[in-house]
Amino acid sequence: GAVVSQHPSWVICKSGTSVKIECRSLDFQATTMFWYRQFPKQSLMLMATSNEGSKATYEQGVEKDKFLINHASLTLSTLTVTSAHPEDSSFYICSASGGDTDTQYFGPGTRLTVL
Amino acid sequence: DAKTTQPPSMDCAEGRAANLPCNHSTISGNEYVYWYRQIHSQGPQYIIHGLKNNETNEMASLIITEDRKSSTLILPHATLRDTAVYYCIVRGYNNDMRFGAGTRLTVKP
């Protein structure tokens, strides 16, 4: 149990375009979802926390107008990187928690490359 | 900022127990200690968590000191597939988790 999926697993886009990444909890209802970013050879950095039906809470330094997060249902959250630039190239990972435990379960990650 | 400190790297012989230490001296009374591992280019995998009692599951054991200022993750019989970066994390009040640099464990044949 406690499976989290992400789609797509990798994406390449042109500078200036927007990219949407989906995060789904497959076998539990995720009341809270988290989005992280990981640059090469670095640790995961928390970007934002979202509760189902509420606006996301962004970490300091993360632009909420650039990284749009929607958590409209208990099984789906989306992260949209708007007007992507090469410096946004990174590994984006979501996690979800809910049900009987507050344990966060992570998705497999999405590698974004902006040309 | 992460509330934990871990050694940057460790080696372990295949078949031996791997003991990964973690310091969390500023942990509060109701904060849990979580352990995850990340194999290259994958999302972190949950291993185990605890509050104050020692815990064991099919993957590992977690030993938490009585004062809760440190803990040790034990992989009883390490295999080559256990090579990964291991993260010790104190879960915050809002369920948020701050990842530190972790320990890169290399299991050698």
Side-chain angles (χ1 to χ4, degrees):
Chain A
V3 179
V4 177
S5 70
Q6 282 184 242
H7 178 80
S9 56
W10 60 270
V11 57
I12 302 173
C13 70
K14 293 182 179 180
S15 184
T17 60
S18 294
V19 175
K20 179 184 285 189
I21 302 170
E22 293 186 349
C23 176
R24 295 182 184 272
S25 57
L26 299 185
D27 53 2
F28 68 102
Q29 294 188 323
T31 51
T32 308
M33 285 186 166
F34 305 82
W35 286 95
Y36 296 80
R37 179 167 54 178
Q38 185 175 32
F39 292 108
K41 298 188 178 181
Q42 294 186 22
S43 188
L44 282 77
M45 290 174 39
L46 179 65
M47 298 176 67
T49 302
S50 73
N51 293 300
E52 186 263 340
S54 302
K55 289 185 178 180
T57 301
Y58 290 80
E59 293 298 301
Q60 192 172 8
V62 178
E63 300 174 58
K64 62 180 181 180
D65 294 331
K66 181 170 182 62
F67 299 99
L68 302 179
I69 292 172
N70 183 279
H71 189 174
S73 78
L74 286 172
T75 59
L76 173 65
S77 176
T78 60
L79 168 68
T80 302
V81 182
T82 62
S83 186
H85 291 286
E87 57 266 30
D88 298 323
S89 297
S90 188
F91 192 49
Y92 291 87
I93 310 169
C94 73
S95 70
S97 67
D100 297 336
T101 176
D102 287 331
T103 298
Q104 288 186 35
Y105 293 95
F106 285 80
T110 297
R111 186 160 302 282
L112 170 63
T113 302
V114 185
L115 302 177
Chain B
D1 293 336
K3 298 177 67 173
T4 62
T5 55
Q6 300 175 252
S9 64
M10 292 182 64
D11 290 342
C12 177
E14 187 178 20
R16 297 284 199 172
N19 298 288
L20 292 91
C22 178
N23 286 322
H24 31 80
S25 58
T26 61
I27 193 170
S28 298
N30 59 350
E31 291 180 320
Y32 283 77
V33 178
Y34 277 76
W35 283 83
Y36 289 81
R37 70 181 182 185
Q38 185 178 29
I39 298 171
H40 183 62
S41 295
Q42 297 181 25
Q45 177 189 21
Y46 166 75
I47 301 174
I48 199 167
H49 74 281
L51 183 62
K52 55 183 179 181
N53 297 323
N54 297 337
E55 303 287 345
T56 295
N57 63 20
E58 64 278 5
M59 289 184 68
S61 294
L62 174 61
I63 309 298
I64 303 174
T65 57
E66 193 170 343
D67 62 7
R68 303 211 322 124
K69 292 185 177 182
S70 66
S71 61
T72 301
L73 179 74
I74 301 172
L75 307 178
H77 305 287
T79 70
L80 299 180
R81 287 182 293 182
D82 292 323
T83 292
V85 178
Y86 286 76
Y87 296 100
C88 167
I89 304 162
V90 171
R91 194 187 74 193
Y93 174 76
N94 294 321
N95 199 22
D96 60 338
M97 298 197 301
R98 314 290 168 153
F99 282 73
T103 295
R104 181 172 297 278
L105 175 69
T106 303
V107 181
K108 298 185 175 181

